Amino acid sequence: MEDEKINTLNKQQELIGVAARSDVHAQGLWHETFHFWLLKKEQDTVYLYFQLRSRSKKDFPSMFDITAAGHLLSNEKPSDGVREIEEELGFSIPFQDLSFAGIIQDEIHTPQLIDREFCHVYLYVSQETHLNVHLQKEEVAGLYRTKVQDAYRLLTGHCDRIQIEGFEVDATGERHEQMRWIGLHDVVPHEAAYYQKLFHAIDQILSQ
């Protein structure tokens, strides 16, 4: 995975080269990713879903993150990113059924990496009664949800913690339903501006 070839871009989103994923993160090179956020409407309540990253992940293990996401390889278009949904969550959604939220710039800096992304962000509002989810255990340890307004309050710094509900899968594949309280320190540290743009897009789509 660290040897995957990824397009590198300048700050104007212009293609300037190709590099290995490990070099992209080590050198802080701008690159493209696919972000998928799942929402579910139940009567008058809309929920936003987060994946719980596997504890074996190299970066941000056991933290909550985008429903499904991944790097776009050098030969891929944003529409190819739907493979991440099927790989990580185990169900398929046609690309044309997704709502485009825009390309959102995001940077994450840690002692281990400098992650500079142009994120192609897509939303999907599910009307299904039950989601038929099969998690990719190497990547995803669980799937949780919370009300959109609660997610907004936490991720934009308007509250210290929120309650989420969902399930985790243990080493034997058994699913455990549970409720948890989480704070901002439990979530992968995307920029505040990323979340502001995300929730603006969610508001626009829900008001249609």
Side-chain angles (χ1 to χ4, degrees):
M1 183 176 291
E2 292 298 310
D3 293 329
E4 292 174 339
K5 298 301 183 183
I6 297 173
N7 288 332
T8 59
L9 294 83
N10 60 22
K11 199 70 180 292
Q12 290 72 46
Q13 299 184 41
E14 298 167 335
L15 179 65
I16 57 174
V18 177
R21 176 172 171 167
S22 56
D23 292 334
V24 164
H25 288 160
Q27 299 173 33
L29 303 174
W30 285 100
H31 57 286
E32 295 178 293
T33 55
F34 172 87
H35 288 190
F36 167 75
W37 287 96
L38 175 64
L39 299 110
K40 192 165 186 288
K41 192 169 186 179
E42 295 181 1
Q43 298 179 343
D44 295 328
T45 303
V46 181
Y47 295 90
L48 182 64
Y49 283 76
F50 295 84
Q51 70 161 254
L52 177 64
R53 294 168 66 87
S54 167
R55 68 180 62 183
S56 64
K57 292 284 285 183
K58 177 183 175 184
D59 302 312
F60 310 111
S62 301
M63 295 185 74
F64 292 93
D65 202 3
I66 301 150
T67 322
H71 290 78
L72 292 176
L73 304 182
S74 59
N75 61 343
E76 290 185 318
K77 307 180 299 294
S79 57
D80 294 313
V82 294
R83 64 177 166 74
E84 297 290 348
I85 305 171
E86 187 164 5
E87 289 173 4
E88 295 187 1
L89 305 179
F91 60 86
S92 299
I93 300 175
F95 180 72
Q96 60 268 25
D97 290 351
L98 304 182
S99 297
F100 183 49
I103 300 175
I104 304 178
Q105 190 173 306
D106 188 37
E107 292 189 50
I108 298 177
H109 294 250
T110 74
Q112 291 75 38
L113 85 164
I114 302 171
D115 194 10
R116 292 191 169 109
E117 300 183 1
F118 291 115
C119 315
H120 295 257
V121 182
Y122 293 87
L123 310 175
Y124 180 76
V125 183
S126 174
Q127 306 290 344
E128 298 292 327
T129 303
H130 299 289
L131 293 172
N132 189 19
V133 175
H134 300 281
L135 303 182
Q136 182 184 21
K137 64 180 181 179
E138 298 83 7
E139 300 282 336
V140 186
L143 190 68
Y144 284 81
R145 71 179 191 175
T146 190
K147 295 176 183 177
V148 166
Q149 60 266 37
D150 288 345
Y152 173 82
R153 289 171 58 237
L154 178 68
L155 298 175
T156 57
H158 289 84
C159 71
D160 293 328
R161 63 178 192 150
I162 59 171
Q163 191 172 51
I164 60 174
E165 60 183 15
F167 69 90
E168 296 178 29
V169 178
D170 63 23
T172 67
E174 186 174 353
R175 185 178 296 200
H176 300 274
E177 306 279 341
Q178 55 188 313
M179 309 275 286
R180 291 180 58 169
W181 286 92
I182 65 168
L184 199 56
H185 62 278
D186 297 306
V187 183
V188 173
H190 298 286
E191 289 188 292
Y194 173 94
Y195 288 123
Q196 290 286 357
K197 292 174 182 176
L198 170 68
F199 286 106
H200 177 70
I202 291 173
D203 286 343
Q204 287 187 315
I205 287 169
L206 293 179
S207 64
Q208 293 177 358

